[in-house]
Amino acid sequence: MAQAMAARIDATTQVPVAQGPAEAEDGDRQFVTALARGLQVLRAFRDAAEMLGNREIAARTGLPKPTVSRLTHTLLSLGYLVHDPEGERYGLGPAVLALSSAFLRQNSFPQMVKPFLQDLATAVQAHVALGLLDGLSSVYVQLWRGQGQRIVLSSEVGFHLPLARSAIGMATLASLDEAERVALLARLRRDGADAARLDHNYRRCADEITRHGFCVGIGIWHQDINAVAAPLHAPGGRGSFAVNISGPAFLLTEEVLRRDTGPKLMETIERMRSLGIVD
């Protein structure tokens, strides 16, 4: 249980990475396979502090190890990767940070919602994350922890949660127009998602969002972590965002999520909507 000192729950081992095709689809002559493979290598890293060897990157991406070796050498030369003192393992480099900073400068929406979601994190004493659709995942573009929060999850900005197996993924799917959603659900099934489980979870969550504005995920991503999530519509349709509140299952029980956490999330969204920050 929660102690006076901070506790940490590590659930990152469950996160799939490096999604998306590395080969041209439907005979697309404009598709640059080498570029796609390089981006796959970057997407293999779960967070900025992780260090991986070529063998691990090859396992995560499905690319041949000789191909990975050439790609990591090129990305290292360009500053997108750095290596450890022994030169055997790689981490994300400063050039990646420059790209992410440029994204945040060009997209002001995460900064606009920041004070509201920080207040929400403190009110519920849990993690609050703003996620953006990225391939078959929702990637955290901002993350807030409650001031004084004692239980710390090991997720950070850049963390990916699978659409098929997370509350934020279900909320993201519910935010899409029908054609885009149908296509993405079909792609998830092709990628290996359990079709029956995916369809059941989506129907339930979509119904909850229709009725309450939010959906609840009880251990659907990790057995020890529960969450509540809701779509968040940026003005002008600038990306498919959703917001997620997550925490240990023994604290964020289903009753707490439905009675307290979910309604507080909706109050925050309504406050932002009244100010024109969200649609």
Side-chain angles (χ1 to χ4, degrees):
M1 296 296 174
Q3 303 291 328
M5 64 179 64
R8 187 176 183 89
I9 294 179
D10 186 356
T12 57
T13 56
Q14 301 259 334
V15 183
V17 292
Q19 305 167 43
E23 307 295 338
E25 294 183 353
D26 301 324
D28 185 353
R29 297 173 63 86
Q30 298 298 313
F31 189 91
V32 181
T33 300
L35 175 59
R37 288 175 172 177
L39 294 174
Q40 273 192 293
V41 169
L42 296 179
R43 289 166 63 90
F45 293 85
R46 291 173 178 143
D47 60 59
E50 189 171 40
M51 303 294 288
L52 300 174
N54 285 334
R55 186 182 301 276
E56 293 165 292
I57 295 171
R60 291 188 180 184
T61 61
L63 297 172
K65 190 170 179 288
T67 299
V68 170
S69 297
R70 293 194 298 272
L71 291 169
T72 52
H73 173 79
T74 302
L75 292 167
L76 177 66
S77 299
L78 296 173
Y80 289 96
L81 293 179
V82 295
H83 57 61
D84 62 16
E86 290 76 27
E88 296 181 355
R89 301 173 71 80
Y90 299 90
L92 295 177
V96 174
L97 177 61
L99 288 177
S100 63
S101 298
F103 168 80
L104 292 175
R105 284 196 301 271
Q106 294 172 12
N107 192 327
S108 61
F109 182 68
Q111 299 303 316
M112 293 171 66
V113 303
K114 179 177 180 177
F116 299 92
L117 296 184
Q118 177 60 74
D119 287 348
L120 176 61
T122 298
V124 299
Q125 285 296 287
H127 287 63
V128 175
L130 179 67
L132 177 65
L133 178 63
D134 179 30
L136 301 183
S137 298
S138 176
V139 59
Y140 285 179
V141 295
Q142 292 281 12
L143 178 68
W144 299 270
R145 297 182 174 95
Q147 296 177 7
Q149 185 177 336
R150 294 177 177 178
I151 306 295
V152 179
L153 303 183
S154 58
S155 52
E156 301 291 345
V157 171
F159 189 65
H160 283 73
L161 276 172
L163 293 180
R165 294 188 297 107
S166 64
I168 197 170
M170 296 295 107
T172 300
L173 287 167
S175 74
L176 304 175
D177 61 47
E178 183 176 2
E180 188 176 4
R181 180 170 58 253
V182 168
L184 195 49
L185 285 168
R187 186 177 165 196
L188 287 167
R189 296 185 192 99
R190 290 196 305 271
D191 194 65
D194 183 323
R197 182 182 181 186
L198 173 62
D199 292 344
H200 170 76
N201 282 336
Y202 176 70
R203 284 195 299 269
R204 176 185 64 80
C205 289
D207 179 65
E208 290 182 1
I209 290 170
T210 298
R211 290 187 289 116
H212 308 299
F214 63 87
C215 66
V216 169
I218 304 301
I220 65 173
W221 172 64
H222 188 285
Q223 63 181 1
D224 297 323
I225 298 174
N226 292 341
V228 62
L232 206 58
H233 300 285
R238 293 174 293 171
S240 300
F241 289 95
V243 62
N244 183 63
I245 303 175
S246 59
F250 69 85
L251 290 178
L252 293 186
T253 63
E254 183 171 4
E255 180 183 3
V256 168
L257 290 172
R258 295 190 184 280
R259 184 194 68 235
D260 182 65
T261 314
K264 284 181 178 176
L265 170 58
M266 295 314 300
E267 289 172 5
T268 299
I269 292 175
E270 287 302 321
R271 189 157 61 249
M272 291 190 290
R273 183 173 290 124
S274 70
L275 296 171
I277 295 173
V278 302
D279 286 343

